[in-house]
Amino acid sequence: MKNIISKTAICGLVCIVATGCAKLDEKLYGSRSLYGDGAGAAELNGVYSQLYGQTDQANTYALQEHPTDEMMGPTRGTDWGDFGTWRKLHTHTWTPTHNQVNDTWDQLNIGVFRATQVINKSTDAAIKAQASFLRAYFMFQVVDLYGQQPFRDPDAPTSSIPTVMSRTEATDFIIKDLEFAEANLPATSANIGIANKAAAYALLAKVYLNKAVYTSSTVGGPFTFAAADMNKVIEYANKVTALGYSLEPQGKYFQDFAWDNSEESHGNIFGFYNTETSAPASAKNRWRMGLHYNQTPDGWNGFTTLADFYNSFENSDERKGVAYPGLTDKVGLRAGFAVGQQFGPGGKALTQRSGKPLIFTPDVNLAYSTEAQGIRVFKYFPKPKADNTVNDDNTSNDYVILRYADVVLMKAEAIMRGGTDPNGATALGLVNSIRTPRGATALATVTPTDMLAERGRELYWEGWRRNDLIRFEKFNDPVDQRPATTDKSRTLYPIPQRAVDTNPNLKQNPGY
């Protein structure tokens, strides 16, 4: 049976997100589901498909990265102006009508609604468990970004107004969804794109690590981390380890992101499974958003990192950048950060469109930059063909949302914040287990500053930086091109004005 999103369901979604039907294209899904054969399996395809929007360079990813100390979207003449959308994110000057604030709200809440439809309809525990995990993920992002969660029963009259959970209520709801999911999901999956116990454990650890933020009576801190919550982080991290996940060996950091990461990664827990013949959630946006027009493959010449963030890496640290076999020798592109003269196939020195040398420089201006300014980031990268060209229409890189290195660092942070590991691990030992294989100098002690910095170095451009900065109470600190401390109200985005106008149960967040 094909899954067709009904007009009734669309009307219900409109009541939640207050958006036009033009945003909600009908989708058809084949009769065969990758996610099971029970009742609701076909509809579950639609929930997973809604998740694929996480690979876009905009919306959820942009809201989690652009306002931080590791990403910037400079305007380059007539390129990347986009009515100031990227500048406003970097400078913390968004409003309740900001396009990406609105679109992200829509995307995530549609995911919550679709997952709830499956949970209500299905009698198959495995299907319900996957839908519960996905609903928890969508809700986690809503709670993290906006601090409130609208919710409606899909069977309720379309004229009914959705209820709204507080941040604390929604956090408890997420935990219950994940507890049901982990109890009913398999320990392993056929591929990274199907939820399993490890994915539920990792997301539970993420929720408990941030619980102090989500239940705080003050927006933006200060936060008090309960030892009981930190012990839950450690418990779930240990459960992930027990399932056989591990860190990549020395010299293999980028193995988690390369074109063969489906087979070669030891630490990727959950994300999107892609192949060369089917890439429904391609990672190509991650390299195209920084590649210059004249590189191979060509790109959009957009986003950069900040020089201070780049300089936080030791030169010996593999994560800073390496010549990657099968990539650099074929098309000239290095994995990691790209700065200085850029090269193409055959080692040819590349030029800008004007004919000047293509030299990426650390200096960058948010309002006006040339096409060569700014350090670029290529954490994911495409597989070159035998003739040293690249066709990235379909790319086999799995796109990663949750991976084991994050779990290890969450455990280390939980120990630092007062938790106790029954296995006797220490925060210092865990952090150095990440650093040493990468060629970084082992630390003698671990302070909160060290922990935040190490999470940045390990997880850069993976969509977690804003979340980390808020938890460490550093989100509002000045950075390059944002010289003043911003108000703590910026640690939450505004509820879109159109949503507030149509649902009296929603209350605008402080500061907006």
Side-chain angles (χ1 to χ4, degrees):
M1 181 182 71
K2 292 181 178 180
N3 175 30
I4 304 176
I5 306 300
S6 69
K7 292 181 180 179
T8 300
I10 290 176
C11 290
L13 286 167
V14 171
C15 291
I16 294 179
V17 303
T19 185
C21 286
K23 289 282 187 183
L24 304 173
D25 298 330
E26 290 190 349
K27 293 181 182 289
L28 300 179
Y29 302 99
S31 58
R32 183 182 180 187
S33 172
L34 296 172
Y35 310 113
D37 299 316
E43 288 81 0
L44 188 60
N45 280 305
V47 188
Y48 276 99
S49 295
Q50 188 66 23
L51 194 64
Y52 293 163
Q54 304 295 292
T55 65
D56 196 282
Q57 75 275 8
N59 300 331
T60 302
Y61 183 76
L63 296 192
Q64 294 287 19
E65 287 288 354
H66 276 275
T68 76
D69 60 352
E70 69 177 28
M71 184 178 286
M72 189 188 305
T75 299
R76 303 178 188 278
T78 59
D79 295 336
W80 290 98
D82 297 337
F83 303 101
T85 185
W86 313 109
R87 297 192 299 273
K88 292 173 185 176
L89 289 178
H90 186 75
T91 57
H92 294 190
T93 55
W94 53 77
T95 69
T97 59
H98 188 279
N99 63 313
Q100 297 199 47
V101 169
N102 292 347
D103 292 347
T104 303
W105 174 267
D106 292 353
Q107 285 186 351
L108 294 173
N109 281 300
I110 290 170
V112 171
F113 186 81
R114 286 182 174 174
T116 303
Q117 285 182 306
V118 174
I119 293 166
N120 285 15
K121 172 181 179 178
S122 181
T123 57
D124 185 291
I127 299 298
K128 290 170 74 75
Q130 290 181 73
S132 294
F133 170 81
L134 294 174
R135 182 168 69 179
Y137 175 79
F138 285 121
M139 276 194 174
F140 172 84
Q141 291 287 1
V142 175
V143 166
D144 189 71
L145 293 166
Y146 300 97
Q148 299 176 52
Q149 177 61 68
F151 189 82
R152 66 173 292 119
D153 186 329
D155 297 327
T158 56
S159 60
S160 64
I161 297 174
T163 60
V164 175
M165 299 182 211
S166 70
R167 210 174 194 189
T168 298
E169 291 169 338
T171 300
D172 291 339
F173 192 98
I174 291 166
I175 290 172
K176 289 178 181 177
D177 256 358
L178 289 172
E179 288 175 341
F180 174 81
E182 65 92 2
N184 292 279
L185 287 170
T188 59
S189 303
N191 60 60
I192 189 178
I194 304 174
N196 58 24
K197 287 184 183 297
Y201 295 150
L203 191 51
L204 275 163
K206 188 77 71 174
V207 174
Y208 275 105
L209 188 63
N210 289 280
K211 195 174 180 183
V213 177
Y214 302 156
T215 60
S216 174
S217 60
T218 58
V219 175
F223 307 120
T224 301
F225 296 85
D229 292 338
M230 298 302 98
N231 286 336
K232 294 295 285 186
V233 176
I234 295 165
E235 173 191 340
Y236 287 119
N238 286 343
K239 287 184 175 183
V240 175
T241 302
L243 291 173
Y245 293 88
S246 62
L247 299 171
E248 299 302 341
Q250 185 173 356
K252 297 292 185 180
Y253 173 73
F254 290 102
Q255 193 165 272
D256 279 353
F257 312 98
W259 54 78
D260 55 357
N261 61 349
S262 294
E263 299 80 21
E264 297 301 323
S265 171
H266 299 87
N268 289 347
I269 296 171
F270 180 75
F272 309 131
Y273 178 69
N274 294 308
T275 70
E276 291 184 3
T277 56
S278 177
S282 173
K284 68 181 179 181
N285 281 27
R286 291 298 173 269
W287 57 76
R288 282 191 168 266
M289 63 192 193
L291 281 164
H292 185 269
Y293 316 108
N294 292 340
Q295 290 183 281
T296 302
D298 62 330
W300 306 327
N301 202 44
F303 305 157
T304 76
T305 193
L306 281 65
D308 288 343
F309 185 77
Y310 171 78
N311 290 331
S312 72
F313 291 77
E314 296 174 275
N315 289 333
S316 60
D317 194 331
E318 176 193 4
R319 298 170 297 188
K320 193 172 187 178
V322 295
Y324 196 86
L327 174 75
T328 310
D329 53 309
K330 289 184 174 293
V331 298
L333 190 66
R334 288 170 57 87
F337 295 91
V339 63
Q341 175 66 55
Q342 298 302 295
F343 298 90
K348 179 183 177 181
L350 297 176
T351 61
Q352 303 177 45
R353 290 177 295 183
S354 65
K356 296 179 180 179
L358 181 59
I359 299 173
F360 292 153
T361 61
D363 62 299
V364 62
N365 186 289
L366 185 63
Y368 181 79
S369 284
T370 66
E371 64 184 66
Q373 287 182 300
I375 301 169
R376 315 305 166 86
V377 179
F378 306 122
K379 200 162 193 177
Y380 291 90
F381 38 83
K383 180 182 180 180
K385 297 165 68 176
D387 62 356
N388 294 350
T389 62
V390 175
N391 179 359
D392 63 359
D393 290 337
N394 277 326
T395 55
S396 55
N397 312 63
D398 289 347
Y399 185 83
V400 187
I401 292 178
L402 296 167
R403 65 186 184 95
Y404 185 63
D406 189 1
V407 172
V408 172
L409 287 172
M410 286 194 287
K411 178 179 174 179
E413 184 181 336
I415 294 171
M416 183 191 72
R417 294 191 186 278
T420 302
D421 178 31
N423 300 324
T426 65
L428 178 62
L430 291 168
V431 169
N432 282 334
S433 77
I434 297 282
R435 290 178 59 81
T436 300
R438 305 298 152 238
T441 304
L443 299 178
T445 59
V446 177
T447 66
T449 298
D450 296 326
M451 190 69 71
L452 176 60
E454 196 58 35
R455 285 192 60 83
R457 286 186 286 262
E458 179 64 26
L459 303 169
Y460 64 91
W461 284 42
E462 293 182 45
W464 297 116
R465 189 58 175 172
R466 171 187 163 277
N467 176 272
D468 290 342
L469 288 169
I470 291 171
R471 193 172 62 255
F472 282 84
E473 300 179 39
K474 294 294 183 182
F475 179 72
N476 304 104
D477 289 359
V479 298
D480 186 16
Q481 308 295 295
R482 191 178 72 232
T485 299
T486 61
D487 192 80
K488 286 187 176 182
S489 64
R490 300 289 118 172
T491 58
L492 279 176
Y493 286 100
I495 307 300
Q497 190 59 50
R498 64 177 185 237
V500 174
D501 291 343
T502 56
N503 185 346
N505 293 324
L506 287 165
K507 305 300 180 186
Q508 188 55 270
N509 286 325
Y512 298 102

